[in-house]
Amino acid sequence: MPPRKQQQQQRRTDPKLKKCPFCGKGVPYIDYKDYPSMKPFTDYFGNIMKRYYTGVCLRHQKMLRTAVERARFMGMMAYRK
Amino acid sequence: MPDIADIETSASAKATADEAGESRLYEICILFPLSLSQKDEQVLLKEVETILEEAGGRQVARDAWGQRGLAYPIKGQTEGKYVVYHYDIDPAKLREADEALRIVPNLLRHLAMKPPKGYRIVKFSEQYEEWLKNREKEEERREREREEELNRRVVERAKRRVKRVEEEKEKEKESAVTTAAKTDKAELSEKLEKLISDDLDI
């Protein structure tokens, strides 16, 4: 078992400290036609990034999910790169 | 084609009217291949519009996006054209229209959705221009931040250098003092020794 000090160093920042980028701007809804607003929340492979890493609140993450899925269906976004 | 401002007001008015029942505002986006001839394209659009109008729809807005590359090939097509319609339709009839749209030839994809609350109908070209402006602003902001950071670093480095120089000077002074003290001690001890030796001689 590694010493206690090392464990503390490896711990990542508290996700509660992150602020939702959509709430900051007061976004009421996420449009599936608006590619630049969804792009930063997908990774290189086209997957939607976890809330843990982006700090998006649950309400906006759900909106983001539907928007990205609609955009994927319409061929505006890739399912898999 | 009504003005955009008119559309916005009418859309919001409709949104309130919808809650009473009857018809409500829907957004229908269609995708068709780029390789279609102009005549076929006209026929396709006409067909889509007639389907929606037969279902009792009333066109609120129409936005043709034009040629667009697809994120992945659909039925062998890598490029397509989008058209976004806004229609006032009865929800039950929209389902029938949706089914009818499925069997329209040459239509790659179609998506009907209920716009969220407070939705503003904005033309894609206008949205794009706005985005371009905002992006420029964002880039300017980033550039300014970078410059500020650079300036801060330069100032800090200069401060550090000044501090170091001062410290070195102080050290030199101290060492000079200590060496002077040492020499004094050495001289004293020499004199003492001399005296002692003189005494011994006597």
Side-chain angles (χ1 to χ4, degrees), chain A residues 30-62:
Chain A
I30 301 167
D31 194 357
Y32 73 94
K33 303 189 291 303
D34 190 8
Y35 179 74
S37 74
M38 296 182 291
K39 173 81 203 335
F41 301 96
T42 56
D43 65 7
Y44 175 80
F45 296 104
N47 299 325
I48 306 168
M49 270 153 79
K50 295 246 181 287
R51 231 149 58 79
Y52 185 91
Y53 300 106
T54 53
V56 179
C57 67
L58 184 60
R59 189 170 150 259
H60 279 113
Q61 182 77 4
K62 284 179 176 177

Side-chain angles (χ1 to χ4, degrees), chain B residues 167-183:
Chain B
E167 272 178 11
E168 274 176 14
K169 270 185 185 175
E170 273 184 20
K171 266 186 189 173
E172 272 179 19
K173 269 186 192 173
E174 272 179 23
S175 60
V177 169
T178 49
T179 46
K182 269 183 190 173
T183 49

Side-chain angles (χ1 to χ4, degrees), chain B residues 137-178:
Chain B
K137 272 183 205 164
E138 187 83 354
E139 275 182 4
E140 276 174 21
R141 194 177 60 81
R142 236 175 262 162
E143 189 80 10
R144 206 182 56 231
E145 271 180 14
R146 210 179 298 144
E147 272 182 18
E148 276 173 12
E149 178 70 19
L150 209 72
N151 277 339
R152 202 174 56 79
R153 269 193 210 163
V154 167
V155 168
E156 264 186 19
R157 193 173 290 173
K159 271 184 189 172
R160 245 181 281 150
R161 183 172 286 177
V162 168
K163 213 177 181 183
R164 209 186 302 144
V165 167
E166 276 179 5
E167 272 178 11
E168 274 176 14
K169 270 185 185 175
E170 273 184 20
K171 266 186 189 173
E172 272 179 19
K173 269 186 192 173
E174 272 179 23
S175 60
V177 169
T178 49

Side-chain angles (χ1 to χ4, degrees), chain A residues 7-42:
Chain A
Q7 270 187 346
Q8 275 180 348
Q9 278 176 350
Q10 282 174 352
R11 198 189 290 163
R12 279 172 280 198
T13 52
D14 190 354
K16 280 175 192 169
L17 296 176
K18 284 182 187 167
K19 276 181 187 161
C20 175
F22 291 112
C23 286
K25 290 175 202 161
V27 177
Y29 57 86
I30 301 167
D31 194 357
Y32 73 94
K33 303 189 291 303
D34 190 8
Y35 179 74
S37 74
M38 296 182 291
K39 173 81 203 335
F41 301 96
T42 56

Side-chain angles (χ1 to χ4, degrees), chain B residues 43-86:
Chain B
V43 169
L44 174 76
L45 290 178
K46 195 96 192 168
E47 203 174 339
V48 170
E49 279 171 28
T50 47
I51 285 173
L52 291 169
E53 268 153 28
E54 270 175 18
R58 189 179 64 82
Q59 199 179 87
V60 178
R62 180 181 181 277
D63 182 16
W65 285 16
Q67 183 183 341
R68 201 59 52 97
L70 300 178
Y72 54 92
I74 303 173
K75 287 187 183 169
Q77 302 284 340
T78 49
E79 281 181 326
K81 281 182 171 179
Y82 289 95
V83 179
V84 179
Y85 291 107
H86 284 88

Side-chain angles (χ1 to χ4, degrees), chain A residues 28-34 36 70-79, chain B residues 27 29 31 65 70-72 82 109-111 113 116 118-120 127 131:
Chain A
Y29 57 86
I30 301 167
D31 194 357
Y32 73 94
K33 303 189 291 303
D34 190 8
R70 278 172 179 163
R72 279 174 180 169
F73 173 70
M74 291 306 290
M76 297 171 193
M77 267 182 135
Y79 279 100
Chain B
E27 183 184 299
C29 181
L31 168 65
W65 285 16
L70 300 178
Y72 54 92
Y82 289 95
R109 290 281 149 99
H110 74 274
L111 177 70
M113 65 162 251
Y119 184 77
R120 277 176 67 241
Q127 203 179 340
W131 175 74

